[in-house]
Amino acid sequence: MEVLQNKIDFVMFFSVAGANPNGDPLNENMPRIDYDGYGEVSDVCIKRKIRNRMQDMGYSLFVQSNDRIDDQKKSLEERFNSEFDSPKKDPDDKVYQASCEKWMDVRSFGQVMTFQKRSIGVRGPVSLTLAKSLSPVDVISMQITRSTNGMEAKEDKVRSSDTMGMKHFVDYGVYMVKGSINPYFAEKTGFSAEDAEVVKEALCSLFVNDSSSARPEGSMEVKKLYWFTHPNKLGVVSSAKIHGLVEAKELEKGSKAKKYEDYSIQLNQQKLASLESKGLKVEELNGL
């Protein structure tokens, strides 16, 4: 496969309704928000979901979730050692190339290999920002109980079944995440145009097979993906200016947005026309 020759930028929007998109372990697993009340989802969380989609498509991954391991390797070290011998037999340059060829996530996002007393840094071409909601979100906390005993009662004591707990979720929010694919880094990892299409498909179907008690089926949905392809490696303008082409705002200020249609999300057609004349191409895709 030919290595990617064109810089790519993208902007994606997804909705959250009655779900916890990314709990904060330092704050009782409540949905992440900034100091102004805007919802956040970390880039690490989004990359995890992209990896899962890549795995669903049949690609080999180096960083696999514990509940999705498909090669019986219970740690990154075990997976690494199963592929590579000592530094004398498998030098670092061979490990770098073979890792990129075998594992789709290494080829895409990069990885630091710190096993067998090595330190090999792979810098991947795909980068993402954290996702931020378009307006402040309401975080709802609900007290829950367990309807059955978790442990057997001791002696003649009766054990209560109503163990208390808390569940936190975002009432409603639309989040935006931005990203880019750098063809100069793609040269080093062998990331191809076909791999870029895999990333595009993964983004469009990001929440497929991703349901949990915190994220019920249908509570998170990819709404729109803007995919910008430059005519060359350098790009016609910076990624920041490309991301700025997408304008998102609430239709009615002062009222809480309850659905995706409460926002105006569109491209600045005047600026876009100027960049299209220089060879920029844009695709507007709906989520799966």
Side-chain angles (χ1 to χ4, degrees):
M1 293 185 291
E2 185 180 2
V3 173
L4 182 69
Q5 299 296 317
N6 306 85
K7 181 182 177 181
I8 294 173
D9 295 300
F10 55 88
V11 178
M12 185 187 73
F13 295 89
F14 62 88
S15 64
V16 177
N20 186 346
N22 184 205
D24 185 353
L26 298 179
N27 191 23
E28 298 181 348
N29 207 43
M30 293 183 68
R32 298 174 191 266
I33 58 173
D34 66 10
Y35 290 112
D36 295 318
Y38 288 81
E40 294 180 332
V41 176
S42 73
D43 59 315
V44 175
C45 174
I46 295 169
K47 286 179 182 178
R48 176 71 269 158
K49 296 179 190 302
I50 294 174
R51 281 185 168 97
N52 290 347
R53 294 299 298 122
M54 289 175 170
Q55 191 174 18
D56 291 340
M57 295 178 204
Y59 293 95
S60 295
L61 298 183
F62 181 65
V63 182
Q64 301 178 19
S65 293
N66 287 337
D67 59 345
R68 295 175 63 97
I69 292 174
D70 58 16
D71 58 2
Q72 287 74 54
K73 304 297 186 296
K74 297 182 180 180
S75 69
L76 298 182
E77 183 177 23
E78 184 180 359
R79 187 167 296 120
F80 182 88
N81 290 337
S82 69
E83 294 292 330
F84 303 110
D85 211 322
S86 65
K88 288 185 177 180
K89 292 186 178 181
D90 289 329
D92 288 358
D93 57 347
K94 178 183 176 182
V95 171
Y96 185 109
Q97 181 179 0
S99 296
C100 292
E101 289 177 356
K102 178 173 180 59
W103 293 306
M104 179 66 163
D105 57 334
V106 175
R107 190 162 70 246
S108 302
F109 304 121
Q111 184 67 34
V112 178
M113 309 288 189
T114 55
F115 314 107
Q116 300 176 355
K117 297 183 178 180
R118 303 176 190 256
S119 182
I120 306 171
V122 180
R123 190 170 184 179
V126 182
S127 61
L128 297 163
T129 66
L130 59 78
K132 179 88 76 171
S133 66
L134 300 182
S135 55
V137 298
D138 289 331
V139 175
I140 310 299
S141 295
M142 178 186 296
Q143 193 171 56
I144 57 176
T145 60
R146 187 165 58 186
S147 60
T148 184
N149 291 327
M151 299 178 66
E152 188 174 350
K154 294 182 179 180
E155 299 178 355
D156 297 330
K157 295 181 179 180
V158 177
R159 190 176 183 88
S160 174
S161 63
D162 57 349
T163 304
M164 308 301 290
M166 296 294 292
K167 187 171 185 177
H168 314 283
F169 57 90
V170 170
D171 185 33
Y172 186 80
V174 174
Y175 291 66
M176 175 172 63
V177 59
K178 307 168 186 175
S180 297
I181 305 179
N182 187 316
Y184 293 103
F185 297 151
E187 286 182 353
K188 297 181 179 181
T189 67
F191 187 90
S192 67
E194 289 80 4
D195 293 333
E197 290 297 314
V198 172
V199 173
K200 183 198 297 184
E201 183 178 347
L203 288 169
C204 287
S205 58
L206 196 63
F207 304 115
V208 173
N209 296 333
D210 187 55
S211 62
S212 69
S213 60
R215 303 181 303 279
E217 199 74 56
S219 63
M220 297 182 65
E221 179 185 9
V222 175
K223 290 293 190 178
K224 189 75 68 176
L225 173 65
Y226 293 97
W227 190 265
F228 302 90
T229 304
H230 295 254
N232 50 43
K233 291 183 177 181
L234 184 61
V236 295
V237 291
S238 68
S239 295
K241 285 184 170 61
I242 293 295
H243 296 154
L245 290 174
V246 184
E247 299 175 342
K249 60 183 180 181
E250 288 182 272
L251 290 174
E252 294 185 22
K253 286 289 184 181
S255 62
K256 277 288 183 181
K258 294 296 183 182
K259 57 184 184 298
Y260 181 71
E261 290 73 21
D262 290 338
Y263 294 94
S264 170
I265 299 174
Q266 59 187 0
L267 294 170
N268 186 312
Q269 294 298 328
Q270 184 177 357
K271 293 180 180 179
L272 177 62
S274 174
L275 297 177
E276 285 181 324
S277 67
K278 298 179 182 179
L280 181 72
K281 297 180 180 178
V282 59
E283 296 176 69
E284 187 176 334
L285 306 166
N286 293 319
L288 186 65

